[in-house]
Amino acid sequence: MNAFGTVKSRKVIQQLEDAGHEAVFVGGSIRDYLLGKNASDIDIATSASPDEVKSVFPHTIDVGIAHGTVLVMMDHEPIEVTTYRTESTYTDHRRPDEVRFVKSLKEDLQRRDFTINALALTLEGELVDPFGGREDLEKRMIRSVGNASDRFEEDALRMVRAVRFSSVLGFEIEESTLKAINGNAESIRHVSVERIKVEMDKLWMGTEPQKALSYIVESNLSKHLPKFPEDVQLLSACAPFTSALQGWSALLLSGHFTAIEIANAYKLSNREKDFLSAVQKAFKNRQAGRFTTEHYYRFDLEVLIATEKLWQAIHPSLLGITEEEIYEKHKELPIKSRDDLKVDGRDLMAWTGQRGGRWLGEWMDKIEEAVLYRKCPNDMEKIKEWFHNEYERQE
Ligand code: ATP
Ligand code: MG
């Protein structure tokens, strides 16, 4: 394998070492590297205190100094460097009350959630793996570092992280770890939905969301996650998903929760909320029959695709609409939105010599419809002709 890390990140470690400190690559990027996957963001851990890190490099930015993280600007690129630390005394199943900086890498790795995430790599390429992470990677297994139940009691979010890794990596959750999720599932209620949402977004985008979904049910997490169905059969039938929004939309399939309820429960953004509401609406239309010109025009392509996915999950034996067909039908539309019209309100005012008012919007609607349904080509002169005919007829 090639040397791990970018030239700049290796330089950061080298300079920390030259200053007499220990520094290594850590976390998820090592896991992904060993799996031969494109590494996510590269994290560096060091025995140097945040102040010591700042004294080694001329340009640093404090991003989370209380948690020991300093952003080192290496040749204009920001590299995250975090001091070895432990987290202690969790009183509320979430954030630690106190972060303590430590000198030993092993202690730092010990606070991490799963063995496959508790790996470090030195600049020389030596793997530091005190908890059997490499073996678990080979076994394709998600296993807590230490006593699983204690670890979930400390931070209940780790339970959702376990299932999201099962989706992203397609791994099994080790038996005692799964059992501990079962025993602690209720405490997920103490975790902020913002943190849950980050993990769920990744879960939806994983290669095996079905696996995660069945773990969520098996472990009873489904009973305690907000607006989550206890029967995930239909949800699974939609998987895999090509966007997180498709996953969120699939929650509509339970039929128990509305788009707004789901969006509010997970604090989805306004854009995400609008997407779910549109899918809900499009789905009602789809239940009544195949999409019409009106639907291809009014709904976003991605909304139609997500909607069709839901519809097909419910009607596995019926012939659905393929994605190609949806793209094709959308492409064939004479206009994709009102902005595509070759005329606007000012033209109408000029043609009639009238001032703006409600009539203007009404006539723009009629023109839009005429062009959309090919009663009139989208051409300035043709629209003018069509308009005069219709306008005179109605005056
Ligand atoms: P991804 O590739 O999706 O970013 P990741 O493993 O890098 O996965 P992050 O959420 O970026 O996950 O976290 C980085 C590392 O920090 C993890 O690999 C793990 O070692 C540690 N970590 C993150 N969240 C927790 C947590 N709640 N409890 C313990 N350790 C955690
Ligand atoms: Mg990461």
Side-chain angles (χ1 to χ4, degrees), residues 27-28 31-32 40-41 43 111-113 117 155 157-158 161 164-165 195 199 202:
R31 174 198 70 221
D32 292 343
S40 42
D41 17 81
D43 294 315
R111 71 161 167 97
R112 294 172 185 271
D113 47 7
N117 291 344
D155 181 1
L157 182 73
R158 291 172 186 153
R161 286 176 58 84
R164 85 101 152 148
F165 283 115
R195 293 179 78 207
E199 301 300 331
K202 294 185 177 180

PDB file of all heavy atoms in Angstrom, residues 27-28 31-32 40-41 43 111-113 117 155 157-158 161 164-165 195 199 202, ligand 1:
ATOM      1  N   GLY A  27      -8.471   7.095  13.984  1.00  0.00           N
ATOM      2  CA  GLY A  27      -9.916   7.127  13.727  1.00  0.00           C
ATOM      3  C   GLY A  27     -10.354   6.513  12.418  1.00  0.00           C
ATOM      4  O   GLY A  27      -9.686   5.647  11.848  1.00  0.00           O
ATOM      5  N   GLY A  28     -11.480   6.989  11.955  1.00  0.00           N
ATOM      6  CA  GLY A  28     -12.165   6.386  10.821  1.00  0.00           C
ATOM      7  C   GLY A  28     -11.341   6.290   9.552  1.00  0.00           C
ATOM      8  O   GLY A  28     -11.543   5.376   8.746  1.00  0.00           O
ATOM      9  N   ARG A  31      -9.458   3.050   9.486  1.00  0.00           N
ATOM     10  CA  ARG A  31     -10.407   1.968   9.166  1.00  0.00           C
ATOM     11  C   ARG A  31     -10.650   1.911   7.646  1.00  0.00           C
ATOM     12  O   ARG A  31     -10.511   0.852   7.023  1.00  0.00           O
ATOM     13  CB  ARG A  31     -11.714   2.264   9.914  1.00  0.00           C
ATOM     14  CG  ARG A  31     -12.863   1.342   9.602  1.00  0.00           C
ATOM     15  CD  ARG A  31     -14.181   1.981  10.028  1.00  0.00           C
ATOM     16  NE  ARG A  31     -14.512   3.114   9.169  1.00  0.00           N
ATOM     17  CZ  ARG A  31     -15.013   4.263   9.596  1.00  0.00           C
ATOM     18  NH1 ARG A  31     -15.260   4.464  10.867  1.00  0.00           N
ATOM     19  NH2 ARG A  31     -15.277   5.243   8.742  1.00  0.00           N
ATOM     20  N   ASP A  32     -10.956   3.065   7.062  1.00  0.00           N
ATOM     21  CA  ASP A  32     -11.259   3.089   5.636  1.00  0.00           C
ATOM     22  C   ASP A  32     -10.036   2.724   4.786  1.00  0.00           C
ATOM     23  O   ASP A  32     -10.146   2.070   3.757  1.00  0.00           O
ATOM     24  CB  ASP A  32     -11.801   4.468   5.234  1.00  0.00           C
ATOM     25  CG  ASP A  32     -13.177   4.736   5.843  1.00  0.00           C
ATOM     26  OD1 ASP A  32     -13.815   3.762   6.288  1.00  0.00           O
ATOM     27  OD2 ASP A  32     -13.605   5.902   5.881  1.00  0.00           O
ATOM     28  N   SER A  40     -11.997   9.121   4.613  1.00  0.00           N
ATOM     29  CA  SER A  40     -12.706  10.370   4.911  1.00  0.00           C
ATOM     30  C   SER A  40     -11.666  11.359   5.436  1.00  0.00           C
ATOM     31  O   SER A  40     -10.480  11.161   5.261  1.00  0.00           O
ATOM     32  CB  SER A  40     -13.788  10.099   5.938  1.00  0.00           C
ATOM     33  OG  SER A  40     -13.298   9.227   6.933  1.00  0.00           O
ATOM     34  N   ASP A  41     -12.112  12.381   6.121  1.00  0.00           N
ATOM     35  CA  ASP A  41     -11.165  13.380   6.624  1.00  0.00           C
ATOM     36  C   ASP A  41     -10.117  12.728   7.529  1.00  0.00           C
ATOM     37  O   ASP A  41     -10.416  11.833   8.304  1.00  0.00           O
ATOM     38  CB  ASP A  41     -11.896  14.490   7.371  1.00  0.00           C
ATOM     39  CG  ASP A  41     -13.302  14.077   7.753  1.00  0.00           C
ATOM     40  OD1 ASP A  41     -13.442  13.375   8.783  1.00  0.00           O
ATOM     41  OD2 ASP A  41     -14.207  14.400   6.981  1.00  0.00           O
ATOM     42  N   ASP A  43      -7.616  12.554  10.552  1.00  0.00           N
ATOM     43  CA  ASP A  43      -7.427  13.129  11.890  1.00  0.00           C
ATOM     44  C   ASP A  43      -6.073  12.723  12.443  1.00  0.00           C
ATOM     45  O   ASP A  43      -5.626  11.601  12.247  1.00  0.00           O
ATOM     46  CB  ASP A  43      -8.526  12.639  12.835  1.00  0.00           C
ATOM     47  CG  ASP A  43      -9.891  13.152  12.429  1.00  0.00           C
ATOM     48  OD1 ASP A  43      -9.991  14.354  12.123  1.00  0.00           O
ATOM     49  OD2 ASP A  43     -10.845  12.352  12.391  1.00  0.00           O
ATOM     50  N   ARG A 111     -11.162   5.464  24.639  1.00  0.00           N
ATOM     51  CA  ARG A 111     -12.412   6.227  24.761  1.00  0.00           C
ATOM     52  C   ARG A 111     -13.243   6.143  23.488  1.00  0.00           C
ATOM     53  O   ARG A 111     -14.376   6.585  23.437  1.00  0.00           O
ATOM     54  CB  ARG A 111     -12.100   7.695  25.042  1.00  0.00           C
ATOM     55  CG  ARG A 111     -11.523   8.384  23.810  1.00  0.00           C
ATOM     56  CD  ARG A 111     -11.607   9.890  23.858  1.00  0.00           C
ATOM     57  NE  ARG A 111     -10.783  10.482  22.816  1.00  0.00           N
ATOM     58  CZ  ARG A 111     -11.238  10.876  21.636  1.00  0.00           C
ATOM     59  NH1 ARG A 111     -12.500  10.727  21.327  1.00  0.00           N
ATOM     60  NH2 ARG A 111     -10.422  11.394  20.750  1.00  0.00           N
ATOM     61  N   ARG A 112     -12.677   5.607  22.421  1.00  0.00           N
ATOM     62  CA  ARG A 112     -13.373   5.567  21.127  1.00  0.00           C
ATOM     63  C   ARG A 112     -14.436   4.490  21.123  1.00  0.00           C
ATOM     64  O   ARG A 112     -14.407   3.567  21.921  1.00  0.00           O
ATOM     65  CB  ARG A 112     -12.356   5.401  20.002  1.00  0.00           C
ATOM     66  CG  ARG A 112     -11.471   6.641  19.904  1.00  0.00           C
ATOM     67  CD  ARG A 112     -10.326   6.536  18.967  1.00  0.00           C
ATOM     68  NE  ARG A 112      -9.508   7.743  19.073  1.00  0.00           N
ATOM     69  CZ  ARG A 112      -9.692   8.839  18.351  1.00  0.00           C
ATOM     70  NH1 ARG A 112     -10.625   8.876  17.432  1.00  0.00           N
ATOM     71  NH2 ARG A 112      -8.929   9.898  18.540  1.00  0.00           N
ATOM     72  N   ASP A 113     -15.396   4.622  20.215  1.00  0.00           N
ATOM     73  CA  ASP A 113     -16.590   3.790  20.325  1.00  0.00           C
ATOM     74  C   ASP A 113     -16.396   2.316  19.972  1.00  0.00           C
ATOM     75  O   ASP A 113     -16.746   1.427  20.736  1.00  0.00           O
ATOM     76  CB  ASP A 113     -17.766   4.401  19.546  1.00  0.00           C
ATOM     77  CG  ASP A 113     -17.401   4.855  18.140  1.00  0.00           C
ATOM     78  OD1 ASP A 113     -16.257   4.588  17.689  1.00  0.00           O
ATOM     79  OD2 ASP A 113     -18.256   5.475  17.476  1.00  0.00           O
ATOM     80  N   ASN A 117     -12.764   1.615  15.019  1.00  0.00           N
ATOM     81  CA  ASN A 117     -12.500   3.060  15.022  1.00  0.00           C
ATOM     82  C   ASN A 117     -11.405   3.425  16.019  1.00  0.00           C
ATOM     83  O   ASN A 117     -11.101   4.593  16.201  1.00  0.00           O
ATOM     84  CB  ASN A 117     -13.761   3.830  15.408  1.00  0.00           C
ATOM     85  CG  ASN A 117     -14.833   3.750  14.349  1.00  0.00           C
ATOM     86  OD1 ASN A 117     -14.552   3.385  13.213  1.00  0.00           O
ATOM     87  ND2 ASN A 117     -16.057   4.085  14.712  1.00  0.00           N
ATOM     88  N   ASP A 155     -22.553   7.268  26.467  1.00  0.00           N
ATOM     89  CA  ASP A 155     -23.017   8.068  25.336  1.00  0.00           C
ATOM     90  C   ASP A 155     -23.938   7.200  24.481  1.00  0.00           C
ATOM     91  O   ASP A 155     -23.489   6.320  23.749  1.00  0.00           O
ATOM     92  CB  ASP A 155     -21.814   8.554  24.514  1.00  0.00           C
ATOM     93  CG  ASP A 155     -22.235   9.410  23.332  1.00  0.00           C
ATOM     94  OD1 ASP A 155     -23.448   9.653  23.161  1.00  0.00           O
ATOM     95  OD2 ASP A 155     -21.347   9.839  22.564  1.00  0.00           O
ATOM     96  N   LEU A 157     -25.619   7.850  21.937  1.00  0.00           N
ATOM     97  CA  LEU A 157     -25.548   8.016  20.479  1.00  0.00           C
ATOM     98  C   LEU A 157     -24.782   6.867  19.831  1.00  0.00           C
ATOM     99  O   LEU A 157     -25.025   6.499  18.686  1.00  0.00           O
ATOM    100  CB  LEU A 157     -24.862   9.339  20.102  1.00  0.00           C
ATOM    101  CG  LEU A 157     -24.796   9.581  18.591  1.00  0.00           C
ATOM    102  CD1 LEU A 157     -26.183   9.948  18.055  1.00  0.00           C
ATOM    103  CD2 LEU A 157     -23.784  10.657  18.217  1.00  0.00           C
ATOM    104  N   ARG A 158     -23.844   6.288  20.583  1.00  0.00           N
ATOM    105  CA  ARG A 158     -23.027   5.197  20.022  1.00  0.00           C
ATOM    106  C   ARG A 158     -23.890   4.048  19.496  1.00  0.00           C
ATOM    107  O   ARG A 158     -23.480   3.335  18.592  1.00  0.00           O
ATOM    108  CB  ARG A 158     -22.053   4.684  21.084  1.00  0.00           C
ATOM    109  CG  ARG A 158     -20.975   5.710  21.412  1.00  0.00           C
ATOM    110  CD  ARG A 158     -20.113   5.313  22.588  1.00  0.00           C
ATOM    111  NE  ARG A 158     -19.198   6.392  22.927  1.00  0.00           N
ATOM    112  CZ  ARG A 158     -18.693   6.601  24.134  1.00  0.00           C
ATOM    113  NH1 ARG A 158     -19.000   5.778  25.125  1.00  0.00           N
ATOM    114  NH2 ARG A 158     -17.868   7.612  24.351  1.00  0.00           N
ATOM    115  N   ARG A 161     -24.735   5.014  16.143  1.00  0.00           N
ATOM    116  CA  ARG A 161     -23.504   4.902  15.348  1.00  0.00           C
ATOM    117  C   ARG A 161     -23.251   3.439  14.970  1.00  0.00           C
ATOM    118  O   ARG A 161     -22.832   3.138  13.857  1.00  0.00           O
ATOM    119  CB  ARG A 161     -22.307   5.496  16.101  1.00  0.00           C
ATOM    120  CG  ARG A 161     -22.322   7.027  16.121  1.00  0.00           C
ATOM    121  CD  ARG A 161     -21.191   7.630  16.942  1.00  0.00           C
ATOM    122  NE  ARG A 161     -19.847   7.260  16.512  1.00  0.00           N
ATOM    123  CZ  ARG A 161     -19.156   7.868  15.541  1.00  0.00           C
ATOM    124  NH1 ARG A 161     -19.693   8.864  14.872  1.00  0.00           N
ATOM    125  NH2 ARG A 161     -17.928   7.478  15.239  1.00  0.00           N
ATOM    126  N   ARG A 164     -25.491   2.641  12.144  1.00  0.00           N
ATOM    127  CA  ARG A 164     -25.124   3.351  10.906  1.00  0.00           C
ATOM    128  C   ARG A 164     -23.864   2.723  10.290  1.00  0.00           C
ATOM    129  O   ARG A 164     -23.752   2.623   9.072  1.00  0.00           O
ATOM    130  CB  ARG A 164     -25.007   4.850  11.111  1.00  0.00           C
ATOM    131  CG  ARG A 164     -23.695   5.373  11.612  1.00  0.00           C
ATOM    132  CD  ARG A 164     -22.825   5.974  10.522  1.00  0.00           C
ATOM    133  NE  ARG A 164     -21.985   6.991  11.126  1.00  0.00           N
ATOM    134  CZ  ARG A 164     -20.760   7.289  10.722  1.00  0.00           C
ATOM    135  NH1 ARG A 164     -20.224   6.647   9.710  1.00  0.00           N
ATOM    136  NH2 ARG A 164     -20.076   8.222  11.336  1.00  0.00           N
ATOM    137  N   PHE A 165     -22.921   2.259  11.131  1.00  0.00           N
ATOM    138  CA  PHE A 165     -21.744   1.585  10.555  1.00  0.00           C
ATOM    139  C   PHE A 165     -22.148   0.257   9.915  1.00  0.00           C
ATOM    140  O   PHE A 165     -21.555  -0.160   8.925  1.00  0.00           O
ATOM    141  CB  PHE A 165     -20.642   1.386  11.604  1.00  0.00           C
ATOM    142  CG  PHE A 165     -19.857   2.647  11.906  1.00  0.00           C
ATOM    143  CD1 PHE A 165     -19.899   3.244  13.154  1.00  0.00           C
ATOM    144  CD2 PHE A 165     -19.096   3.257  10.910  1.00  0.00           C
ATOM    145  CE1 PHE A 165     -19.190   4.420  13.421  1.00  0.00           C
ATOM    146  CE2 PHE A 165     -18.375   4.437  11.165  1.00  0.00           C
ATOM    147  CZ  PHE A 165     -18.432   5.020  12.421  1.00  0.00           C
ATOM    148  N   ARG A 195     -27.684  15.304  16.798  1.00  0.00           N
ATOM    149  CA  ARG A 195     -26.616  14.298  16.699  1.00  0.00           C
ATOM    150  C   ARG A 195     -27.141  13.032  16.022  1.00  0.00           C
ATOM    151  O   ARG A 195     -26.451  12.395  15.243  1.00  0.00           O
ATOM    152  CB  ARG A 195     -26.062  13.954  18.094  1.00  0.00           C
ATOM    153  CG  ARG A 195     -25.326  15.108  18.770  1.00  0.00           C
ATOM    154  CD  ARG A 195     -24.833  14.680  20.151  1.00  0.00           C
ATOM    155  NE  ARG A 195     -23.626  13.856  20.105  1.00  0.00           N
ATOM    156  CZ  ARG A 195     -23.290  12.956  21.025  1.00  0.00           C
ATOM    157  NH1 ARG A 195     -24.086  12.721  22.052  1.00  0.00           N
ATOM    158  NH2 ARG A 195     -22.173  12.272  20.909  1.00  0.00           N
ATOM    159  N   GLU A 199     -26.030  10.951  12.117  1.00  0.00           N
ATOM    160  CA  GLU A 199     -25.778   9.523  11.921  1.00  0.00           C
ATOM    161  C   GLU A 199     -26.802   8.915  10.960  1.00  0.00           C
ATOM    162  O   GLU A 199     -26.470   8.078  10.122  1.00  0.00           O
ATOM    163  CB  GLU A 199     -25.805   8.780  13.265  1.00  0.00           C
ATOM    164  CG  GLU A 199     -24.785   9.278  14.303  1.00  0.00           C
ATOM    165  CD  GLU A 199     -23.337   9.165  13.834  1.00  0.00           C
ATOM    166  OE1 GLU A 199     -23.020   8.263  13.030  1.00  0.00           O
ATOM    167  OE2 GLU A 199     -22.511  10.003  14.275  1.00  0.00           O
ATOM    168  N   LYS A 202     -26.081   9.400   7.352  1.00  0.00           N
ATOM    169  CA  LYS A 202     -25.068   8.453   6.865  1.00  0.00           C
ATOM    170  C   LYS A 202     -25.640   7.054   6.728  1.00  0.00           C
ATOM    171  O   LYS A 202     -25.288   6.313   5.810  1.00  0.00           O
ATOM    172  CB  LYS A 202     -23.846   8.459   7.797  1.00  0.00           C
ATOM    173  CG  LYS A 202     -23.107   9.790   7.766  1.00  0.00           C
ATOM    174  CD  LYS A 202     -21.824   9.774   8.578  1.00  0.00           C
ATOM    175  CE  LYS A 202     -21.116  11.125   8.427  1.00  0.00           C
ATOM    176  NZ  LYS A 202     -19.861  11.193   9.184  1.00  0.00           N
TER     177      LYS A 202
HETATM  178  P1  ATP B   1     -16.953   8.754   8.939  1.00  0.00           P
HETATM  179  O1  ATP B   1     -16.062   8.135   7.911  1.00  0.00           O
HETATM  180  O2  ATP B   1     -18.377   8.523   8.661  1.00  0.00           O
HETATM  181  O3  ATP B   1     -16.628  10.172   9.270  1.00  0.00           O
HETATM  182  P2  ATP B   1     -15.683   8.220  11.441  1.00  0.00           P
HETATM  183  O4  ATP B   1     -15.278   6.944  12.094  1.00  0.00           O
HETATM  184  O5  ATP B   1     -14.592   9.143  11.013  1.00  0.00           O
HETATM  185  O6  ATP B   1     -16.657   7.889  10.259  1.00  0.00           O
HETATM  186  P3  ATP B   1     -16.594  10.420  13.024  1.00  0.00           P
HETATM  187  O7  ATP B   1     -17.961  10.707  13.522  1.00  0.00           O
HETATM  188  O8  ATP B   1     -16.007  11.337  12.028  1.00  0.00           O
HETATM  189  O9  ATP B   1     -16.634   8.940  12.468  1.00  0.00           O
HETATM  190  O10 ATP B   1     -15.660  10.305  14.292  1.00  0.00           O
HETATM  191  C1  ATP B   1     -14.244  10.187  14.195  1.00  0.00           C
HETATM  192  C2  ATP B   1     -13.718   9.220  15.263  1.00  0.00           C
HETATM  193  O11 ATP B   1     -14.004   9.719  16.565  1.00  0.00           O
HETATM  194  C3  ATP B   1     -14.346   7.839  15.213  1.00  0.00           C
HETATM  195  O12 ATP B   1     -13.684   6.992  14.311  1.00  0.00           O
HETATM  196  C4  ATP B   1     -14.206   7.372  16.639  1.00  0.00           C
HETATM  197  O13 ATP B   1     -12.915   6.906  16.892  1.00  0.00           O
HETATM  198  C5  ATP B   1     -14.397   8.654  17.429  1.00  0.00           C
HETATM  199  N1  ATP B   1     -15.790   8.903  17.837  1.00  0.00           N
HETATM  200  C6  ATP B   1     -16.705   9.656  17.191  1.00  0.00           C
HETATM  201  N2  ATP B   1     -17.873   9.722  17.850  1.00  0.00           N
HETATM  202  C7  ATP B   1     -17.692   8.997  18.978  1.00  0.00           C
HETATM  203  C8  ATP B   1     -18.521   8.697  20.102  1.00  0.00           C
HETATM  204  N3  ATP B   1     -19.777   9.129  20.185  1.00  0.00           N
HETATM  205  N4  ATP B   1     -17.989   7.937  21.080  1.00  0.00           N
HETATM  206  C9  ATP B   1     -16.709   7.489  21.018  1.00  0.00           C
HETATM  207  N5  ATP B   1     -15.900   7.749  19.986  1.00  0.00           N
HETATM  208  C10 ATP B   1     -16.357   8.486  18.974  1.00  0.00           C
END
